[in-house]
């Protein structure tokens, strides 16, 4: 700031400056009468080249002197560069959390889709009020609204159409009073359906606030969230969390957070259930309904046993104290369907059929089931349907049933290696498939129908075409051709023992575990040549006698969802190769099985927001749920779990048998916690374009003054010569 | 008050110098002006063979006795020379320094004295503007000379002078003497034409440049608005504003040197003589020193 004395000094210097300028502009010339200026005029020529420099030096000198005066004046003025100040306006950044817990109702059984019916709607109302207050306080105020859902975004409204007739949208980012009506209309138009049942990405939401804060670091960030953030909020926190405005004391929630089914030591199913209670003290009664327990398979079904048993169990949690407790209370309860355990645990079972054993005795336990529904039946003396979130009051299990897959192994040679592979399939795939194996030996008739997977080895081959109702694996088939599957020439080959032999792999899903390929040795095999281009070779056999080298495709396969479309060929004779000695072979065949028969989904329980990878061994798979009914023809297909509910995938085997797979999408367990308290809130991270401190220029001008004084001295000394 | 060097003492000194040097004087002012034509003087010039009709009294009998052929002696002719003195009466000759005008007049008078002392004719042509004025006529003898000098002292110096026009417009004899141009030669006029004209007239030409000390070595400096003595008014383009620095003074000296060298070299090229004098030196020393150098006196 310039003080009075400095101001006067500045004015004085400026006055002197003015005088000097006047003096400089109008230089005094002494009049002198001379006899003649003739010689002076002549001398100009000699001096001409130096006069320009003189003029320049004079000019420089003048400039120097002027600058010196200015420097002196500025030093007296104590100049500073004021840090650029952000605009002085009332600006708000409103972030509305749009996650699952924001759908919490009042806990009194009130409607969700009425005004203020959920936290989310209360948040939008509060946001409207904030917008009105902002513009009432300051006509130049600015508003930004960020919706923090699973995929955060800046809220926008339709502002018109473009030339092509497509709607145009305006983001509510630093909008002023001119857009007030649009902002309010957009906020009031938000419904509960906007919210995800998953968790909000608060970090990304804050990133949307960063550019606004860069423009105006004074902007206030208001977060409408029901989560209490404690401890880590610093005094300088940018974010004003308005949880108190959204939470109601009457809110409460009982939830089935998660479930897991296991086959226990008694070889029957047991179900672990994680139950949560929030802002209420009570025990919780949980009902477990098992459908199709121990249902018989189709081939052995009787009229009575075909669909299995529907069982209903009731469990009770211990008393939970969660009233006004941050993050409520959770407990895990277990339903062990082993009959003796049920009796001792005092778990009530209500069923339309008594416990029984196969021999007519008591029911041992649930060995298989079609589905399990878990639901909350009572929460103390309250109906669970009156809790704040209903979406987490149910839970489903779908992994109690495996699809039966029938495999026939037909060989004229006793091959323990292949047999071990088959039994390895059974155990390795027990969670996904019920693999039924039949073995056809040398003296048995060749089986050509009724199976999902045929393995033909050696001479055990059908006389005519190969079966078309299942996948086919050919192991060293001793035949001249298999034209029905596109292998047109087969030749028995014997490689001299003196030849060097090895194998190599080609990149293929089935060659992943063939890590010892270069060590495989074989001298007798069936060479397939002239086969369809659809086949993909993934193991090549090489032999060399020191001179020429020959490469023979040894294992190839094709995988099309059509009759005779799923075929794998290997020319290796299991008795004449060490390939069978490596675990590579077992793993390869397991890969072949999974390749031919991928499971539709890997899991049966998904959470909102998770990716569901859908595969099929068929040409298409039908997906059906509460809000979807579609066919999927391209695989793998990735579906993102957006809504809770039950979904069923239906596909048809080559044998025309329909296979159903179901899965359940549940609400995020984190969002069931409606009384959430967290330690850390992601804060905006921005670099303000405004400086923090004023910059003092005194030193710079002092340095300039010294330099100018030196320059003036220098110019003066030069000017004398 | 006008400065004048033309006093009795001045002429007395000149007389003394002229008498003392008479027998030894050569050059134009050093003796009789003998010309190459043959005349009746006693100065032997050359021989030629006798031709029918020649005066037998001129036969050189010594040669006859030697060669047994008749040869005539030839003698040089003698004429009275006319010294024309052209005095630049422009303002630059006086306004800058009154001594300069008086000095120029004194130089003119001195040269005129030497002429009349040598029994030659002299005329004083005062150059004003683009013509010469000779109100004093052709002067012969010292009596009329001294009478003319009185008028000469009253010469007015003003305006500009076009040397070429003034000199070429004057009637000059051919091959009959010396023409002296006394000026500072601070002029744009083509004085070279005047010299050429005079040399065409087979006259000996002497250029005398008269300068003041201030003109040779100006001592003033700083911001100066120089008013030329020959300028019409303050706004005349001849006037100039100049900031005179040491460098400027060096440039002036260089220009003056080049001017003098230019005059000298031109004169050499035309067979004329040139001397440059400053009015702070004694005229006698200048005249006799410089005139000796250029051979006007030998």
């Amino acid at each position: 700031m310039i003080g009075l004395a400095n101001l006067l000094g500045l004015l004085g210097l400026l006055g002197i400056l003015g005088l000097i300028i006047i003096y400089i502009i109008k230089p005094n010339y002494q009049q002198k009468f001379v006899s003649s200026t003739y010689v002076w005029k002549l001398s100009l020529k000699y001096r001409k080249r130096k006069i320009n420099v003189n003029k320049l030096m004079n000019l420089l000198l003048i400039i120097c002197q002027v600058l010196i005066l200015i420097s002196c004046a500025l030093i007296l003025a104590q100049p500073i560069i004021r840090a650029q100040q952000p605009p002085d306006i009332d600006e708000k950044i409103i972030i509305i959390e749009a996650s699952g817990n924001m759908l919490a109702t009042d806990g009194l059984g009130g409607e969700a889709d009425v005004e203020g019916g959920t936290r989310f709607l209360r948040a939008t109302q509060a946001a409207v009020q904030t917008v009105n207050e902002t513009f009432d306080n300051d006509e130049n105020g600015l508003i930004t609204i960020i919706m923090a859902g699973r995929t955060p975004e800046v809220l926008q409204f339709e502002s018109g159409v473009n030339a092509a007739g497509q709607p145009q949208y305006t983001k509510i980012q630093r909008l002023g009073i001119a857009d007030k009506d649009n902002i309010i209309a957009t906020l009031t138009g938000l419904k509960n359906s906007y919210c995800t049942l998953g968790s909000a990405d608060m970090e990304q939401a804050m990133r949307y606030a960063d550019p606004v804060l860069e423009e105006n670091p004074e902007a206030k960030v208001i977060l409408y969230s029901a989560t209490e953030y404690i401890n880590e909020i610093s005094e300088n926190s940018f974010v004003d969390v308005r949880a108190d405005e959204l939470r109601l004391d009457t809110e409460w929630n009982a939830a089935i957070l998660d479930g897991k089914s296991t086959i226990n030591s008694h070889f029957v199913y047991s179900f672990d259930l994680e139950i949560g209670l929030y802002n209420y003290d009570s025990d919780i009664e949980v009902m477990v309904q098992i459908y199709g327990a121990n249902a018989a398979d189709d081939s052995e079904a009787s009229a009575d046993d075909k669909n299995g048993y529907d069982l209903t169990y009731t469990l009770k949690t211990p008393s939970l104290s969660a009233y006004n407790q941050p993050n409520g209370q959770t407990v895990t309860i277990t339903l062990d369907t082993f009959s003796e355990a049920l009796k001792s645990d005092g778990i009530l079972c209500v069923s339309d059929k008594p416990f029984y054993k196969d021999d007519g005795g008591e029911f041992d336990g649930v060995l298989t089931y079609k589905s399990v529904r878990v639901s909350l039946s009572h929460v103390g003396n309250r109906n669970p349907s009156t809790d704040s979130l209903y979406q987490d009051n149910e839970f489903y299990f779908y992994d109690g049933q495996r699809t039966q897959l029938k495999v026939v192994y037909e060989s004229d040679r006793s091959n323990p290696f292949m047999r071990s592979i088959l039994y390895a399939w059974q155990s390795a795939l027990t969670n996904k498939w019920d693999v039924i194996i039949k073995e056809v030996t040398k003296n048995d008739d060749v089986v050509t129908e009724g199976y999902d997977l045929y393995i033909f080895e050696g001479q055990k081959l059908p006389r005519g075409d190969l079966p078309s109702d299942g996948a086919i694996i050919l192991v060293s088939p001793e035949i001249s051709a298999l034209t029905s599957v596109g292998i047109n020439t087969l030749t028995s080959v014997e490689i001299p023992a003196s030849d060097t032999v090895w194998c190599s792999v080609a990149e293929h899903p089935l060659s992943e575990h063939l890590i010892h390929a270069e060590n495989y040795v074989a001298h007798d095999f069936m060479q397939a040549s002239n086969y369809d281009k659809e086949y993909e070779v993934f193991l090549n056999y090489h032999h060399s006698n020191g001179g020429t080298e020959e490469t023979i495709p040894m294992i190839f396969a094709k995988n099309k969802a059509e009759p005779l479309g799923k075929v794998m060929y290997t020319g290796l004779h299991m008795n004449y190769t060490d390939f069978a000695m490596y675990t590579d072979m077992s793993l390869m065949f397991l890969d072949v099985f999974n390749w031919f028969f991928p499971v539709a989904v890997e899991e049966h329980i998904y959470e909102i927001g998770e990716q569901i990878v859908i595969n099929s061994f068929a040409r298409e798979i039908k997906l059906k749920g509460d809000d979807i009914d579609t066919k999927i023809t391209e695989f793998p297909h990735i579906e993102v779990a957006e809504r809770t509910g039950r979904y069923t995938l239906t596909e048809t085997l080559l044998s025309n048998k329909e296979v159903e797979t179901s899965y359940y999408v549940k609400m995020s367990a984190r969002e069931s916690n409606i009384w959430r308290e967290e330690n850390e809130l992601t804060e905006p991270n921005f670099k303000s374009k405004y400086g923090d401190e004023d910059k003092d220029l005194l030193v710079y001008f002092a340095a300039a003054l010294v330099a100018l004084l030196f320059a003036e001295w220098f110019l003066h000394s030069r000017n004398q010569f | 008050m006008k400065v004048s060097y033309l006093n009795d003492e001045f002429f007395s000194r000149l007389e003394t110098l002229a008498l003392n040097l008479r027998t030894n004087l050569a050059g134009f002012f050093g003796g009789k002006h003998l010309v190459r034509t043959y005349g009746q003087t006693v100065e032997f010039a050359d021989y030629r063979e006798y031709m029918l009709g020649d005066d037998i009294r001129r036969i050189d009998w010594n040669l006859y006795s030697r060669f047994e052929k008749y040869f005539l002696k030839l003698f040089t002719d003698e004429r009275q020379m006319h010294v024309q003195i052209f005095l630049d009466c422009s303002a630059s000759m006086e306004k800058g320094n009154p001594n300069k005008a008086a000095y120029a007049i004194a130089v003119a008078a001195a040269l005129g004295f030497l002429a009349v002392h040598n029994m030659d004719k002299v005329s004083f042509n005062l150059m004003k503007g683009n013509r010469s004025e000779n109100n004093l006529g052709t002067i012969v003898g010292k009596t009329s000379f001294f009478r003319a000098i009185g008028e000469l002292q009253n010469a007015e110096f003003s305006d500009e002078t076009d040397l070429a026009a003034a000199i070429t417009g004057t009637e000059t004899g051919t091959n009959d003497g010396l023409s002296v141009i006394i000026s500072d030669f601070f002029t744009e006029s083509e004085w070279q034409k005047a010299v050429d004209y005079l040399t065409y007239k087979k006259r000996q030409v002497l250029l005398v440049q008269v300068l003041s000390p201030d003109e040779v070595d100006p001592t003033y400096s700083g911001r100066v608005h120089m008013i030329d003595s020959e300028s019409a008014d303050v706004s005349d383009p001849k006037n100039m504003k100049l900031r005179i620095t040491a460098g400027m003074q060096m440039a002036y000296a260089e220009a003056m040197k080049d001017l003098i060298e230019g005059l000298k070299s031109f004169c050499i090229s035309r067979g004329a003589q040139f001397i440059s004098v400053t009015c702070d030196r004694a005229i006698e020393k200048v005249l006799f020193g410089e005139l000796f150098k250029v051979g006007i006196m030998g």
Side-chain angles (χ1 to χ4, degrees):
Chain A
M1 292 295 290
I2 305 175
L4 180 61
N6 290 336
L7 184 63
L8 289 172
L10 175 63
L11 287 171
L13 279 169
L14 286 174
I16 294 170
L17 175 65
L19 285 170
I20 289 171
I21 289 171
I22 291 166
Y23 175 77
I24 289 166
I25 291 171
K26 286 196 174 181
N28 278 338
Y29 279 86
Q30 184 188 5
Q31 213 169 51
K32 187 166 181 60
F33 288 93
V34 296
S35 57
S36 178
T37 58
Y38 180 74
V39 183
W40 284 110
K41 285 199 162 87
L42 285 179
S43 67
L44 288 177
K45 287 181 211 167
Y46 298 90
R47 197 60 189 166
K48 205 168 185 72
R49 59 184 154 81
K50 291 184 184 176
I51 282 179
N52 286 340
V53 175
N54 255 345
K55 277 189 183 168
L56 177 64
M57 287 183 70
N58 289 339
L59 188 64
L60 284 174
L61 206 58
I62 290 164
I63 291 169
C64 219
Q65 287 165 343
V66 167
L67 288 174
I68 286 168
L69 285 170
I70 291 172
S71 299
C72 291
L74 287 171
I75 286 168
L76 285 173
Q78 296 177 345
I80 54 171
I81 294 178
R82 285 235 176 268
Q84 195 181 359
Q85 298 297 317
D88 184 18
I89 52 173
D90 188 1
E91 182 162 5
K92 302 264 186 1
I93 303 170
I94 298 170
I95 303 176
I96 301 175
E97 186 175 338
S99 60
N101 82 88
M102 292 293 283
L103 290 172
T105 56
D106 58 9
L108 299 170
E111 291 288 322
D113 292 322
V114 297
E115 191 177 317
T118 61
R119 288 173 170 178
F120 181 72
L121 293 177
R122 288 196 290 279
T124 57
Q125 279 177 343
V128 167
Q129 195 176 350
T130 302
V131 169
N132 282 326
E133 282 170 4
T134 303
F135 290 132
D136 288 344
N137 286 342
D138 183 357
E139 279 188 354
N140 297 322
L142 298 174
I143 291 288
T144 300
I145 298 180
I146 299 167
M147 303 304 292
R150 203 163 58 78
T151 307
E153 61 174 354
V154 176
L155 192 62
Q156 54 189 15
F157 60 87
E158 190 173 329
S159 54
V161 292
N162 61 13
Q166 291 168 334
Q168 282 186 306
Y169 295 92
T170 300
K171 289 188 179 179
I172 303 177
Q173 186 167 22
R174 305 201 87 209
L175 294 186
I177 197 170
D179 293 297
K180 177 182 170 185
D181 291 340
N182 282 324
I183 294 170
I184 290 171
T186 307
L187 281 170
T188 51
L190 288 172
K191 305 291 179 208
N192 287 324
S193 55
Y194 187 95
C195 281
T196 176
L197 288 168
S199 295
D201 187 349
M202 291 307 300
E203 189 171 341
Q204 182 57 41
M206 288 297 178
R207 295 288 78 79
Y208 281 110
D210 291 344
V212 179
L213 288 166
E214 282 175 10
E215 289 296 322
N216 181 9
E218 302 297 318
K220 296 182 188 57
V221 181
I222 298 172
L223 172 60
Y224 286 107
S225 165
T227 303
E228 289 278 1
Y229 294 94
I230 57 167
N231 296 340
E232 295 300 318
I233 305 297
S234 68
E235 288 178 2
N236 294 325
S237 172
F238 279 93
V239 185
D240 175 12
V241 183
R242 303 271 180 97
D244 291 340
E245 288 184 27
L246 304 183
R247 280 188 179 185
L248 299 175
D249 284 340
T250 55
E251 289 172 345
W252 66 280
N253 190 31
I256 303 169
L257 299 174
D258 204 355
K260 186 178 168 189
S261 65
T262 50
I263 296 178
N264 63 16
S265 56
H266 299 286
F267 305 106
V268 297
Y269 272 102
S270 116
F271 301 95
D272 295 324
L273 302 169
E274 190 181 349
I275 309 295
L277 183 63
Y278 305 96
N279 200 32
Y280 186 50
D281 292 339
S282 176
D283 52 24
I284 302 173
E285 208 169 271
V286 179
M287 185 164 66
V288 180
Q289 291 165 289
I290 303 176
Y291 298 99
N294 299 348
D297 61 53
D298 290 342
S299 61
E300 297 171 12
S302 67
D304 291 329
D305 299 338
K306 191 173 176 180
N307 295 320
Y309 294 91
D310 296 338
L311 306 165
T312 301
Y313 298 92
T314 302
L315 297 85
K316 198 181 254 191
T317 70
S319 188
L320 302 172
S321 297
Y323 178 70
N324 208 22
Q325 293 298 313
N327 301 317
Q329 198 169 0
T330 58
V331 67
T332 300
I333 57 174
T334 300
L335 172 64
D336 183 347
T337 60
F338 183 55
S339 54
E340 295 301 322
L342 290 172
K343 287 174 189 169
S344 62
D345 282 349
I347 294 170
L348 179 64
C349 174
V350 176
S351 165
D352 62 345
K353 290 199 177 149
F355 290 106
Y356 83 106
K357 283 186 180 175
D358 283 345
D359 59 1
E362 280 193 337
F363 182 66
D364 272 339
V366 176
L367 297 166
T368 62
Y369 62 89
K370 279 192 176 163
S371 64
V372 174
R373 176 175 179 263
V374 182
S375 58
L376 303 175
S377 52
H378 287 94
V379 182
N381 57 1
R382 290 185 183 181
N383 189 333
S385 63
T386 62
D387 72 354
S388 294
L389 283 174
Y390 70 89
Q391 292 90 341
D392 52 10
N393 292 353
E394 276 187 346
F395 195 91
Y396 289 85
F397 292 95
Y398 284 110
D399 58 348
Q401 198 168 38
R402 295 160 296 161
T403 303
Q404 197 179 75
L405 208 71
K406 293 168 77 173
V407 178
V408 60
Y409 170 47
E410 303 184 61
S411 172
D412 62 340
R413 326 167 180 150
S414 174
N415 188 345
F417 301 111
M418 283 308 300
R419 209 176 289 120
S420 68
I421 283 167
L422 297 175
Y423 292 118
W425 282 353
Q426 271 189 328
S427 60
L429 299 168
T430 188
N431 288 337
K432 301 174 189 176
W433 300 101
D434 182 13
V435 178
I436 310 296
I437 299 169
K438 180 180 173 62
E439 193 170 342
V440 172
T441 59
K442 186 177 179 179
N443 297 322
D444 297 331
D445 291 335
V446 174
V447 173
T448 56
E449 63 177 0
Y451 284 85
D452 300 303
L453 174 59
Y454 299 84
I455 304 173
F456 296 106
E457 186 180 16
Q459 293 178 356
K460 205 70 180 172
L461 290 157
R463 286 177 189 279
D465 291 345
L466 290 167
S468 60
D469 63 346
I472 297 167
I473 295 177
L474 300 161
V475 181
S476 183
E478 291 175 15
I479 196 168
S480 60
L482 290 165
T483 53
S484 58
V485 290
I487 300 172
N488 302 316
T489 308
L490 286 160
T491 317
S492 176
V493 174
E494 195 173 325
I495 301 295
S498 58
D499 274 19
T500 305
V501 302
W502 69 99
C503 290
S504 64
V505 296
E507 198 167 317
H508 193 273
L510 297 180
S511 65
E512 185 186 340
H513 292 107
L514 299 178
I515 57 177
H516 300 102
E518 61 187 19
N519 297 331
Y520 305 154
V521 173
H523 287 272
D524 282 305
F525 51 84
M526 291 300 292
Q527 179 178 350
S529 50
N530 189 13
Y531 47 86
D532 284 353
K533 288 186 178 118
E534 291 172 335
Y535 283 104
E536 296 160 9
V537 178
F538 59 92
L539 184 78
N540 283 304
Y541 174 87
H542 309 271
H543 70 97
S544 165
N545 59 8
T548 55
E549 179 188 317
E550 192 184 0
T551 299
I552 299 167
M554 190 54 67
I555 305 179
F556 49 80
K558 64 176 178 178
N559 188 10
K560 284 184 177 295
E562 61 190 27
L564 298 172
K566 290 178 185 283
V567 180
M568 190 209 98
Y569 169 89
T570 172
L572 292 170
H573 195 305
M574 290 298 153
N575 293 338
Y576 299 120
T577 178
D578 64 351
F579 176 49
M581 308 297 288
Y582 292 95
T583 53
D584 299 9
M585 190 177 92
S586 306
L587 293 170
M588 184 200 77
F589 275 105
L590 186 61
D591 290 339
V592 170
F593 187 98
N594 286 324
W595 195 50
F596 282 155
F597 303 106
V599 289
V601 284
E602 292 288 334
E603 304 292 337
H604 295 275
I605 301 169
Y606 293 93
E607 201 170 271
I608 290 287
E610 275 192 89
Q611 284 190 341
I612 304 167
V613 180
I614 299 173
N615 273 304
S616 176
F617 47 74
R619 274 211 189 117
E620 63 179 32
I621 195 168
K622 292 175 199 163
L623 171 62
K624 195 169 178 185
D626 290 337
D627 58 340
I628 189 169
D629 188 354
T630 184
K631 279 183 194 171
I632 301 165
T633 55
E634 294 208 5
F635 305 100
H637 175 80
I638 296 175
E639 192 79 15
V640 177
E642 295 280 3
R643 305 216 66 83
T644 56
R646 296 167 289 163
Y647 297 88
T648 302
L649 294 159
T650 308
E651 51 190 332
T652 308
L653 287 163
L654 288 170
S655 58
N656 291 323
K657 184 167 78 179
E658 274 199 353
V659 174
E660 271 190 9
T661 309
S662 296
Y663 63 89
Y664 174 66
V665 177
K666 71 178 188 70
M667 188 169 172
S668 167
R670 184 169 178 266
E671 296 307 313
S672 295
N673 178 2
I674 62 166
W675 223 247
R676 193 162 67 225
E677 194 173 86
E678 288 192 0
N679 287 335
E680 202 172 308
L681 170 66
T682 303
E683 296 237 357
N685 182 15
F686 64 97
K687 190 175 176 183
S688 172
K689 65 180 191 182
Y690 303 102
D692 293 330
E693 294 177 343
D694 297 339
K695 194 170 181 181
D696 192 354
L697 300 176
L698 192 68
V699 171
Y700 300 103
F701 281 112
L705 178 63
V706 170
L708 287 167
L709 285 169
F710 175 78
E712 196 207 3
W713 166 80
F714 179 74
L715 287 170
H716 259 304
S717 62
R718 289 278 298 179
N719 220 17
Q720 297 303 316
F721 299 97
Chain B
M1 187 176 151
K2 266 200 168 179
V3 177
S4 177
Y5 293 92
L6 304 178
N7 47 33
D8 293 336
E9 192 187 334
F10 173 72
F11 289 111
S12 165
R13 287 202 302 275
L14 277 180
E15 179 94 49
T16 307
L17 280 167
L19 283 170
N20 287 338
L21 296 169
R22 186 188 299 185
T23 53
N24 295 325
L25 277 177
F28 191 86
F29 293 108
K32 303 298 182 280
H33 304 293
L34 302 173
V35 296
R36 292 192 181 278
T37 54
Y38 299 122
Q40 300 299 316
T41 61
V42 299
E43 189 143 337
F44 170 77
D46 201 354
Y47 288 103
R48 75 169 171 83
E49 252 185 274
Y50 174 82
M51 293 167 74
L52 195 62
D54 284 334
D55 187 354
I56 58 173
R57 288 177 293 176
R58 291 165 65 189
I59 294 175
D60 190 327
W61 296 110
N62 287 330
L63 277 180
Y64 176 74
S65 66
R66 199 179 295 173
F67 298 108
E68 293 185 0
K69 269 193 176 178
Y70 301 104
F71 289 97
L72 291 182
K73 264 189 183 177
L74 296 175
F75 297 93
T76 58
D77 202 352
E78 187 179 328
R79 291 205 186 145
Q80 185 182 41
M81 291 294 126
H82 181 191
V83 177
Q84 271 185 316
I85 297 176
F86 292 94
L87 178 62
D88 179 2
C89 290
S90 63
S92 65
M93 292 296 289
E94 184 196 39
K95 290 280 164 64
N97 188 330
N99 284 337
K100 183 177 165 185
Y103 199 91
I105 292 171
V107 168
L111 289 171
F113 178 83
L114 290 172
V116 297
H117 178 76
N118 210 30
M119 308 299 280
D120 289 323
K121 295 182 284 188
V122 65
S123 61
F124 293 102
N125 300 285
L126 304 178
M127 295 188 288
K128 293 182 181 178
N130 55 2
R131 59 187 187 86
S132 299
E133 290 175 2
N134 184 2
N135 298 328
L136 306 173
T138 305
I139 300 162
V140 181
K142 289 185 182 176
T143 307
S144 50
F145 170 77
F146 284 114
R147 198 163 46 239
I149 286 302
E151 297 296 321
L152 190 63
Q153 288 183 92
N154 296 326
E156 296 287 330
F157 294 84
S158 63
D159 299 325
E160 293 176 62
T161 298
D162 186 346
L163 294 175
I167 292 172
T168 56
T170 305
E171 228 178 270
T172 54
T174 302
N175 196 18
D176 67 344
L178 170 69
S179 291
V180 183
I181 305 173
I182 302 173
S183 173
D184 54 13
F185 294 98
F186 291 162
T187 179
E188 305 269 347
S189 70
E190 293 171 315
W191 52 266
Q192 295 91 338
K193 282 187 182 171
V195 174
D196 285 338
Y197 171 73
L198 293 170
T199 52
Y200 165 74
K201 286 288 190 177
K202 295 187 182 168
R203 297 183 68 78
Q204 257 187 292
V205 181
L206 170 65
L207 268 59
V208 180
Q209 185 184 34
V210 180
L211 300 171
S212 67
D214 246 4
E215 287 167 351
V216 173
D217 185 18
T219 54
Y220 43 88
S221 61
R223 287 197 176 86
V224 180
H225 185 191
M226 288 182 278
I227 308 293
D228 194 308
S229 58
E230 293 175 12
S231 63
D233 50 41
V234 177
S235 59
D236 194 300
K238 282 190 180 176
N239 303 329
M240 61 188 293
K241 284 183 180 175
L242 193 63
R243 185 159 180 253
I244 299 172
T245 60
M248 205 59 220
Q249 287 172 341
M250 283 169 64
Y252 181 91
E254 209 169 327
M256 179 62 81
K257 182 184 162 194
D258 279 355
L259 177 69
I260 294 172
E261 287 297 325
L263 284 159
K264 202 181 281 185
S265 62
F266 182 81
C267 290
I268 289 171
S269 70
R270 296 301 190 265
Q273 312 301 327
F274 169 79
I275 60 174
S276 179
V277 298
T278 49
C279 57
D280 59 345
R281 293 175 65 193
I283 290 184
E284 302 88 346
K285 286 182 184 173
V286 165
L287 277 177
F288 288 98
E290 296 298 325
L291 288 176
F292 265 112
K293 276 185 198 169
V294 299
I296 293 293
M297 286 188 191

